[in-house]
Amino acid sequence: MAKRIEAVNDFVVKFANVNGSGSASANELFAKSFLRMGIPVSPRNIFPSNIQGLPTWYEVRVTERGWLGRRGGVDLMVAMNPQTWDQDIAEVEPGGYVFYDDTRPLPASKFRPDVNVIGMPLTEICNTNYVDARERQLFKNIIYVGALAALLGIEPEVVAELIGEQYKGKEKLLMPNVKAFHMGFDYARERLKDALGLKVQRSEAVGDSIFIDGNAAAALGCVYGGATVCAWYPITPSSSLAEAFQRYCSRLRIDESGRNNYAIVQAEDELASIGMVIGAGWNGARAFTATSGPGVSLMTEFIGMAYFAEIPATIINVQRGGPSTGMPTRTQQSDVLACAYASHGDTKHVLLFPEDPKECFEFAAQALDLADRLQTPVFVMTDLDIGMNQRLCKPLEWDDARSYDRGKVMTRDELEAGKDFGRYLDVDGDGIPFRTLPGTHPKRGAYFTRGTTKDRYARYSEAGPDYVDNMRRLQKKFETAKSMVPKPLLDASARPARFGAIYYGSTSPAMHEALEALATTGISINALRVRAFPFQDEIADFVASHSKVFVIEQNRDAQLKTLLVNDAGINPANLISVLHYDGTPITARFITNEISQIVRTLNVRPIKKDKAA
């Protein structure tokens, strides 16, 4: 018998299934049961891009300390897919566990000597109790959830309550699922007693946190931010954002007469969708689209037109691992440069980098304000890891007294009084001109929307001085944006730190854990989370105050680092890239190991911790 990992409320469980087998709802049920027992959990669904047949994984991080990133390694592998058996077994920590269907026991050669094997004849149990082939497959998932509940010490009443909520109104499915759960629970309790050294105990560590995915939170943020128009084309992993906006609007965007106060259009393609958003923005509506990298590629010409014509538009980019021929159901921070400089000519766009669903909510609403204030496209840069995985976060704060910042919009009274209106005229030195909305005045304030060729009064011009004047004003406006976008947040080390680290977005949860792990080895790091582009002066000052600064990213080409060099004027010799881009969410162990190795190559000896520390 291998040495056993013994842990309470601190372990990683991973399910290896076949896509289309109905395992997703059962695995989610398993994850939520920990929350009901007051134990923080962070699940991640790693799924293929086809409908069924290929391998899929569901990883559940359980930790009373509340870490929400991936740790790395697996303590308990629920191995339900023979196709991936070898790679699944390889992930298990020494002393960890493999739970599998031993209706047909596997030879010892298929296991590692340093892992503990727990077998249960799931297929045999299902064949004995069910005749229908589909029922055998579906209830097999619930049976193994029941077995795991018994092995781990999950209260059966908690799971029964969750099953009741899941099948509310579907009474024909409710009792069979409860029965299947108890079938697995009773079997494991009687025949597999003490087979598992991982246990759970009730806790109060969840507090007032909510459990929501980033796409749903961003959709609600768009409602909160005043969006009334959404035009989109389906693309993984952003589709559920537009679908969530539809659900929220059907409840929250209905007037007293029962009429809809919103328009949601599924366009024929991404090009059409961004065109509709820009048209709505020009007419004064708050409008957005949700897409991913390939969609942004198709939108670029229209994005450039909105930049030069200065029309508000919000684009929520749920990033993924490359185009449709790549890894469309994998996560990466792969569109930073594509969005920062999207379109032709000299363009620069505002980017916001939320770290969790709460910031997806806040930044979606803020993006709509910024788009109006700056009269420009604004990108909210989430990714599949944030967007499609449910995560614990602080409650979303909704203030009914919130007012929308529409920016510089000239009114009818101002026009009637003879106020000078130049659509592209900088009147107060911030680079942002006044605009008018269609129908504001019957005779004054009209203008023709143009791209790059116009003067300050929107009159057609190809004169070089007019073009240069306009481009300089746009650059000034971009400088003004620095004071409007979210500032970076500093996480200062408790001890003097030689090194700094810059990170952003979905890297944040793993980064927090890695910083603590590095500190225990004597490597102290001051960390700065970048939340927006354009970059504020605090970022350059942070880099200047450290000998070397690690830039942690989930892409191959160090895109944020490139942006820091290009637009913040930072010396690239001061920056060291830590890059993760295999399509899975970054882990705390990866960050810790990479930085530790680099520190060793720099011949810097870690600071020894005091015994009392």
Side-chain angles (χ1 to χ4, degrees), residues 33-52:
S33 66
F34 294 97
L35 295 177
R36 293 294 174 90
M37 292 182 65
I39 308 161
V41 66
S42 180
R44 282 172 171 81
N45 190 14
I46 303 169
F47 58 100
S49 56
N50 71 332
I51 296 174
Q52 64 179 24

Side-chain angles (χ1 to χ4, degrees), residues 238-423:
S238 71
S239 295
S240 62
L241 199 160
E243 292 162 355
F245 184 71
Q246 164 71 41
R247 292 194 304 272
Y248 293 134
C249 283
S250 66
R251 293 163 48 198
L252 302 171
R253 283 268 185 268
I254 307 296
D255 66 18
E256 294 179 356
S257 67
R259 294 193 309 174
N260 293 341
N261 284 336
Y262 62 92
I264 301 174
V265 182
Q266 181 177 320
E268 62 266 32
D269 54 32
E270 285 89 353
L271 183 61
S273 68
I274 190 61
M276 293 174 187
V277 168
I278 292 168
W282 180 78
N283 275 282
R286 289 199 155 185
F288 78 96
T289 188
T291 190
S292 193
V296 172
S297 296
L298 293 172
M299 296 175 182
T300 52
E301 186 171 5
F302 255 145
I303 291 170
M305 192 201 78
Y307 173 82
F308 287 110
E310 298 181 67
I311 301 172
T314 295
I315 303 160
I316 303 177
N317 181 359
V318 189
Q319 299 167 90
R320 68 190 206 185
S324 59
T325 52
M327 299 193 292
T329 58
R330 299 292 191 261
T331 191
Q332 280 186 18
Q333 296 170 323
S334 54
D335 299 335
V336 176
L337 291 175
C339 292
Y341 303 129
S343 199
H344 323 102
D346 293 321
T347 55
K348 287 183 184 178
H349 304 294
V350 173
L351 312 180
L352 305 183
F353 302 114
E355 71 163 346
D356 63 4
K358 180 176 172 60
E359 284 195 343
C360 285
F361 170 80
E362 294 171 349
F363 286 9
Q366 187 173 2
L368 292 159
D369 270 350
L370 287 169
D372 270 352
R373 290 176 68 186
L374 294 166
Q375 301 171 31
T376 195
V378 175
F379 288 85
V380 181
M381 305 292 289
T382 78
D383 56 43
L384 186 148
D385 185 29
I386 302 176
M388 294 193 70
N389 288 316
Q390 292 179 303
R391 189 177 298 178
L392 283 172
C393 68
K394 293 297 181 183
L396 311 182
E397 298 176 10
W398 190 291
D399 181 4
D400 286 329
R402 183 181 190 272
S403 60
Y404 306 136
D405 186 346
R406 302 309 303 267
K408 296 180 181 178
V409 180
M410 197 166 287
T411 66
R412 185 188 188 283
D413 290 342
E414 289 171 328
L415 291 168
E416 183 68 24
K419 188 172 182 178
D420 184 28
F421 174 65
R423 176 62 187 95

Side-chain angles (χ1 to χ4, degrees), residues 163 229 352 395 451 510 520:
I163 293 174
V229 175
L352 305 183
T520 62

